[in-house]
Amino acid sequence: MASKKIVVVFGATGAQGGAVVRALLQNSSFAVRAVTRNLDGNGAQELKKLKVEVVKGDTDDKEGLKKILSGAFGCFLVTNYFDHLDMNREIQQGKNVADACKEAGIKHLVFSGLENTQGSGAAGPVYHFDGKAKIEEYIEEIGVSYTSTRTTSYNENFLTFFLPRKTAENKYVLSLPMGNKLLYLMAVNDVGHWVVEILKDPLKYKGKKLHLAGDKLTLDQVCAILSKHLKPKQFEYVPITVEDFAKLPFPGAEELAYMFHFYQLKADNFRDVAFTKKLYPKTQSFDAWVQGNKDKLIQALK
Ligand code: NAP
């Protein structure tokens, strides 16, 4: 029997990387090497239960990364800007992993990238996009075979950051700065399946930036879907302006306001839902995701 191809997964204890680990485990051609900074943490313990190789690693530690990548076929990299809110640090972390991939002779790197927003007309800088665009450029420059998975807002944000606000018994208001433009959405678990499709045929996707999403909806449509599945709860979209959102009292509000403005400007073709469904036909619509996550949503809305 041919030996399995090892894929090193960064962010394995998190949303995107965790999805990649689960999807790789469903494919008998691949073996997972999951990376975490904390081998004693709950995330690492959960991964060990899946009988996955778990190794300690930190994208800030350039030297340590070489050993982690040695002998591997592929790598999935997601960098986490929100860990430190420092664009230059995120760029350096991405470069460290890209350099280590090159030195280790990795056959294909899938990077969770995003585009540059500078010059787009967005009302201000969106550092967590711009840093990832710089990492994409660097990977290209050093000649590592790669694909960028440019994704979009997780449906799971409706359980936390986009959670509708209760205004009366069974009445909820969703307030985001999207006007009546389309918001592109995805179930974060689908990232795993998209990445596996890419790693199954790296030559097909080599050098490409894939614009991935499971759905595109106005927030009125989002509210209609939530109201349909979560009866008797009813949801209404009440837009907020980019300027007012930027003033909200939480860290990063200003940058997220600019991100929503960028989403608005790109709403006609931010992501390619039809292509995404061709890549992985079981990619979930928002409607299907809500249906499958009713209990979690009801719990979060309490
Ligand atoms: P997450 O669930 O918060 O998990 C973060 C992961 O990154 C953890 O597994 C953590 O591992 C790992 N990590 C953080 N710093 C690390 C370091 N220095 N070295 C090694 N591992 C490190 O994050 P996520 O949602 O999967 O990904 C976050 C990224 O997704 C952000 O950069 C954001 O821009 C992007 N994104 C988010 C959305 C959205 O809607 N939320 C949409 C598109 C893109 P340990 O703690 O175990 O070490």
Side-chain angles (χ1 to χ4, degrees):
M1 200 176 76
S3 61
K4 293 192 180 201
K5 295 171 174 171
I6 298 170
V7 179
V8 174
V9 180
F10 287 89
T13 59
Q16 292 198 41
V20 173
V21 169
R22 290 189 297 278
L24 284 167
L25 288 176
Q26 290 171 33
N27 189 301
S28 57
S29 312
F30 298 112
V32 173
R33 185 176 295 159
V35 184
T36 176
R37 290 166 296 178
N38 179 10
L39 285 175
D40 300 321
N42 289 341
Q45 299 311 318
E46 289 304 313
L47 288 166
K48 282 179 192 161
K49 280 187 206 158
L50 299 174
K51 308 258 180 279
V52 161
E53 177 187 2
V54 186
V55 298
K56 187 173 164 69
D58 190 324
T59 53
D60 283 319
D61 170 24
K62 193 173 163 125
E63 282 311 302
L65 293 171
K66 280 189 224 159
K67 191 171 159 220
I68 289 168
L69 286 152
S70 104
F73 157 82
C75 175
F76 171 73
L77 171 64
V78 57
T79 47
N80 190 10
Y81 170 82
F82 294 99
D83 206 47
H84 42 65
L85 305 177
D86 177 344
M87 180 178 77
N88 289 326
R89 184 167 166 195
E90 181 177 29
I91 295 170
Q92 192 56 53
Q93 291 175 327
K95 286 182 172 181
N96 290 345
V97 176
D99 286 339
C101 282
K102 183 159 173 127
E103 280 185 46
I106 289 291
K107 298 283 181 279
H108 200 70
L109 164 64
V110 180
F111 171 57
S112 179
L114 288 169
E115 51 268 71
N116 187 359
T117 66
Q118 285 167 22
S120 65
V126 192
Y127 299 115
H128 67 286
F129 271 61
D130 300 345
K132 290 182 182 69
K134 288 269 183 241
I135 298 170
E136 285 179 349
E137 268 173 34
Y138 184 76
I139 299 169
E140 247 166 48
E141 207 178 286
I142 64 168
V144 168
S145 170
Y146 94 113
T147 304
S148 177
T149 47
R150 289 179 168 180
T151 61
T152 190
S153 283
Y154 310 163
N155 296 337
E156 287 73 7
N157 291 338
F158 287 97
L159 295 162
T160 54
F161 165 55
F162 297 175
L163 188 69
R165 180 167 41 90
K166 189 170 184 172
T167 52
E169 192 57 25
N170 288 323
K171 299 266 183 237
Y172 294 85
V173 161
L174 176 65
S175 255
L176 290 173
M178 279 304 292
N180 59 1
K181 302 282 189 193
L182 291 169
L183 177 67
Y184 290 69
L185 289 164
M186 64 176 200
V188 78
N189 196 52
D190 283 342
V191 170
H193 300 293
W194 301 337
V195 170
V196 166
E197 290 308 314
I198 295 163
L199 289 172
K200 273 160 57 181
D201 197 355
L203 277 182
K204 186 168 172 186
Y205 301 106
K206 183 177 168 169
K208 295 198 169 145
K209 298 174 180 83
L210 306 182
H211 294 91
L212 304 167
D215 218 334
K216 50 178 175 178
L217 296 166
T218 64
L219 291 180
D220 283 328
Q221 290 171 318
V222 162
C223 284
I225 291 169
L226 291 170
S227 301
K228 178 176 80 174
H229 290 298
L230 303 177
K231 272 183 202 145
K233 298 185 192 307
Q234 291 299 293
F235 297 82
E236 185 192 359
Y237 172 48
V238 178
I240 174 172
T241 63
V242 168
E243 294 74 20
D244 286 346
F245 191 92
K247 290 182 206 143
L248 292 177
F250 66 86
E254 207 176 331
E255 177 170 349
L256 288 173
Y258 302 147
M259 175 194 77
F260 280 113
H261 190 211
F262 182 69
Y263 280 172
Q264 285 196 36
L265 295 168
K266 298 278 288 176
D268 289 340
N269 58 359
F270 181 57
R271 298 294 179 251
D272 189 340
V273 177
F275 168 80
T276 309
K277 287 186 176 157
K278 236 186 265 167
L279 178 68
Y280 178 65
K282 290 186 192 158
T283 292
Q284 285 189 74
S285 64
F286 182 70
D287 190 294
W289 179 84
V290 173
Q291 221 173 334
N293 286 276
K294 271 192 217 175
D295 292 347
K296 276 190 194 162
L297 282 159
I298 289 167
Q299 189 61 33
L301 287 161
K302 273 189 178 154

